[in-house]
Amino acid sequence: MRADSLRNNAGMTSPNADLASLRKSYERAELDETHSAGEPLMQFERWLAEAIDSKVPEPNAMTLATVGGDLRPSTRIVLIKGYDARGIVWYTNYQSRKGQEIAGNPYAALQFHWVELERVVRIEGTVEKISAEESDAYFASRPLDSRIGAWASPQSEVISGRDVLVKNAALAAAKHLLSPPRPPHWGGYRLVPEQWEFWQGRRSRLHDRLRYRRQSDAWVRERLAP
C-alpha cells in the first residue's frame, strides 16, 4: 500500500498505519509466588491500595462481562463500591441489559486494568443481588442528582432524545423533592469469586500471571504461562 493512500483529505495519517508498530516494554514491577499473598482477597486489597495511592485515573473502574440468552457476550464499565470475603459489589439498574443478562445467566467476569502500574486483575464467579438494606444504605449516601437520575433513566432502553431524560428528571425531582427513595428496579450486585487472576507486565512479553482458584474451602495458587 502506498504511503499517500494512508492519508485522508486533511493530510493526516490513518491510525491503521502505525498500529502494527506500537510497542511497550513492561518493566515497572514483578509478581512471584514468594511475594504474593496466600489469599486472593489480600492480594487484591494490596494492589487496589497501591492503585489508589498512585493516583491512577479511576482506580475503582472495572469492566463487567456478562452473557445473554443468545450466548453473545457484552461488556461495560462499572465502579466497585465495596468488597469483602463475600465478593465484589457494584450498583446499577436491575432492568438494564446487564441486569437482564445476569437474571438469565448468573455467571460473570470483572476486570481491573491499571495501565500506569502495568497490572490487570481478572475475577470470575457467580452474581447475586445484595440485600435491600445494603442497597438502601448506599442509595441514601449518593448525591441528590444521582438519586434523581436513577429514577429518570430507563437504562438500556431506546429513547427519542436527551429531552426524555431531562423531562423524567424534572418529574422525579418534583415528586420526591430532596428525599427520593431507592427505585425498586435499582440496587446492588455481588460477584462471588470462584477464580482470580493477577497479571503483572514484564519484559519480552514474559509476563507474570498468578491464578487463584477455589478448591473446596481453600484457594489454590498457580502460575500461568503468559
Side-chain angles (χ1 to χ4, degrees):
M1 180 180 293
R2 293 178 53 187
D4 57 3
S5 69
L6 295 174
R7 299 182 178 277
N8 58 26
N9 293 335
M12 300 294 291
T13 301
S14 165
N16 260 340
D18 299 318
L19 284 178
S21 62
L22 288 177
R23 296 286 187 276
K24 175 179 172 60
S25 182
Y26 300 93
E27 302 179 7
R28 287 185 59 94
E30 60 185 46
L31 178 66
D32 62 33
E33 293 80 351
T34 304
H35 297 94
S36 60
E39 295 283 334
L41 187 63
M42 294 174 60
Q43 183 65 37
F44 173 72
E45 187 168 50
R46 182 184 303 170
W47 272 18
L48 178 60
E50 291 178 5
I52 294 172
D53 291 344
S54 299
K55 301 187 185 306
V56 303
E58 296 197 273
N60 56 332
M62 56 188 184
T63 300
L64 166 65
T66 57
V67 177
D70 56 2
L71 302 184
R72 292 177 179 268
S74 61
T75 65
R76 73 286 291 161
I77 302 296
V78 296
L79 302 178
I80 182 175
K81 291 300 179 179
Y83 67 92
D84 56 25
R86 295 173 295 172
I88 308 294
V89 173
W90 70 94
Y91 294 85
T92 191
N93 188 316
Y94 291 145
Q95 297 174 350
S96 64
R97 177 179 178 181
K98 55 185 170 296
Q100 294 179 35
E101 291 183 345
I102 289 170
N105 177 14
Y107 296 95
L110 298 170
Q111 176 172 291
F112 293 84
H113 187 192
W114 297 310
V115 178
E116 293 77 7
L117 300 180
E118 301 173 355
R119 289 173 173 172
V120 173
V121 178
R122 298 175 57 244
I123 314 164
E124 300 176 18
T126 58
V127 180
E128 61 188 22
K129 288 183 179 178
I130 67 173
S131 70
E133 292 75 17
E134 290 175 284
S135 290
D136 287 342
Y138 174 72
F139 188 80
S141 74
R142 304 182 85 207
L144 177 60
D145 287 350
S146 296
R147 284 178 279 155
I148 293 296
W151 283 98
S153 176
Q155 194 174 111
S156 300
E157 293 184 14
V158 175
I159 57 176
S160 59
R162 185 171 179 81
D163 58 309
V164 172
L165 300 177
V166 174
K167 179 181 178 181
N168 288 352
L171 291 173
K175 179 179 180 180
H176 299 296
L177 301 178
L178 299 178
S179 301
R182 178 176 64 89
H185 58 265
W186 191 98
Y189 286 109
R190 176 182 292 108
L191 183 137
V192 181
E194 297 175 350
Q195 179 171 290
W196 298 71
E197 182 185 325
F198 296 85
W199 180 98
Q200 176 70 63
R202 297 294 301 274
R203 286 185 180 183
S204 304
R205 298 299 187 264
L206 298 178
H207 310 302
D208 290 327
R209 295 175 62 190
L210 293 185
R211 179 176 66 185
Y212 297 75
R213 56 183 175 85
R214 175 72 75 178
Q215 189 173 77
S216 299
D217 294 329
W219 290 98
V220 175
R221 181 181 56 191
E222 50 201 0
R223 177 173 288 268
L224 302 179

